[in-house]
Amino acid sequence: APRAGHRRAGRRDDALVAERLEALATADASQLTAGEFLAARGALERAGVTPVLRAWLKRESWNQRLRQAVLRGLGASGEAPAIDEALAMLADDAQVDGVLGAAAGAAAQLGARHLPARDRVRRALERRLEHASLAVRSAVARALGTLGDAQARGAVATALDREPFGNVRRVYREVLETLGKAAAVTAATAELTKRIDDLEKAKKAAGKTKPSWYIVASNDRAAPPGREQAMAQKTGSETVSLAAGHVAIDATISEWRRP
């Protein structure tokens, strides 16, 4: 009961904080400060933030700082509907570099949390590796590292080969290293899963094809002999009955008889 009460109190507190942040953003004359309030609202991860932040994406500000902060909030929100908002901004050539970078980061954060959307996010980011701006190319490469999809290695390697600027090339190399580690983890997980599946198959096959025996201890006081008999029949085992207690090994060796 105390834990349930704490959870309810926490939810009420989150709701109050969310409402307060939205009110502060609306009331503040500074678009820059309002954006930070909205970024914090997204990071609160309280459901229903995407429609709230979507409306703010349409507002103009100096160097679109408000829009960049709202995109950070969308990325931190973890909400699947926010993916569409981030990708739409990422694809808009009219946006300034800072907005495109923020959109790339938000899309990557969300794609990493929502695996069904990861392939779509990866492809959208890979297209932006050809952007004319160094800042955008670097931001997009970092976003691919955040996304963690090893399939992006080919696109990043191709971009590295044609990239003339050393600072961007360094970012690409770092991202390739990150994606290589992600690929190694994925391969190891797949191999472990395969081994477990193989073991399960072998275990099931052995139970059906290998002969087995079951000892029924007729003097067992811990488990009823009738239940032991039923378990033996269920597994299809040959039954050996011993006038023994629960620890059948106490029976004399002469009483063991195998078919």
Side-chain angles (χ1 to χ4, degrees):
R3 291 183 180 178
H6 288 319
R7 285 195 295 269
R8 287 194 294 271
R11 287 194 292 268
R12 287 196 299 269
D13 290 345
D14 285 351
L16 292 173
V17 172
E19 292 175 7
R20 184 60 176 159
L21 287 170
E22 292 174 23
L24 288 170
T26 302
D28 204 296
S30 168
Q31 297 283 8
L32 180 60
T33 306
E36 294 307 313
F37 285 134
L38 294 168
R41 169 65 180 91
L44 193 61
E45 295 192 16
R46 182 167 177 82
V49 69
T50 299
V52 174
L53 298 184
R54 182 187 296 126
W56 286 87
L57 278 176
K58 301 175 182 178
R59 301 194 185 190
E60 302 290 330
S61 64
W62 176 79
N63 205 26
Q64 304 302 349
R65 292 296 182 87
L66 172 63
R67 193 166 293 163
Q68 294 178 49
V70 171
L71 284 164
R72 291 204 314 273
L74 285 169
S77 73
E79 292 189 347
I83 296 173
D84 291 334
E85 305 300 328
L87 291 183
M89 283 291 168
L90 180 64
D92 188 352
D93 288 323
Q95 300 300 325
V96 299
D97 291 356
V99 170
L100 293 176
Q109 279 183 277
L110 295 163
R113 296 180 67 169
H114 298 279
L115 296 184
R118 189 165 70 167
D119 186 65
R120 179 163 65 104
V121 171
R122 174 181 56 79
R123 287 185 278 107
L125 289 169
E126 288 175 347
R127 286 192 290 270
R128 280 311 199 183
L129 287 172
E130 301 178 2
H131 197 273
S133 166
L134 279 70
V136 173
R137 294 199 299 275
S138 296
V140 168
R142 291 191 182 96
L144 285 167
T146 299
L147 184 65
D149 187 345
Q151 294 187 57
R153 287 183 296 172
V156 176
T158 300
L160 174 61
D161 289 341
R162 65 168 180 258
E163 180 58 53
F165 296 98
N167 55 340
V168 183
R169 290 175 61 85
R170 183 173 64 252
V171 173
Y172 287 164
R173 286 194 293 269
E174 291 172 354
V175 171
L176 282 172
E177 182 179 354
T178 298
L179 294 176
K181 293 177 181 178
V185 171
T186 300
T189 302
E191 177 62 23
L192 178 60
T193 301
K194 182 179 182 301
R195 289 187 180 184
I196 292 173
D197 289 343
D198 290 344
L199 287 172
E200 288 295 325
K201 291 177 183 177
K203 184 169 67 175
K204 291 177 181 178
K208 293 180 179 179
T209 60
K210 302 293 183 182
S212 61
W213 290 265
Y214 195 105
I215 297 174
V216 175
S218 59
N219 297 330
D220 196 337
R221 296 184 180 181
R227 182 181 299 173
E228 294 178 5
Q229 187 71 46
M231 292 173 65
Q233 292 176 352
K234 185 176 181 180
T235 58
S237 302
E238 294 289 337
T239 303
V240 177
S241 295
L242 293 178
H246 188 66
V247 183
I249 197 65
D250 290 343
T252 59
I253 196 67
S254 62
E255 293 181 85
W256 286 76
R257 293 183 179 84
R258 284 192 172 185

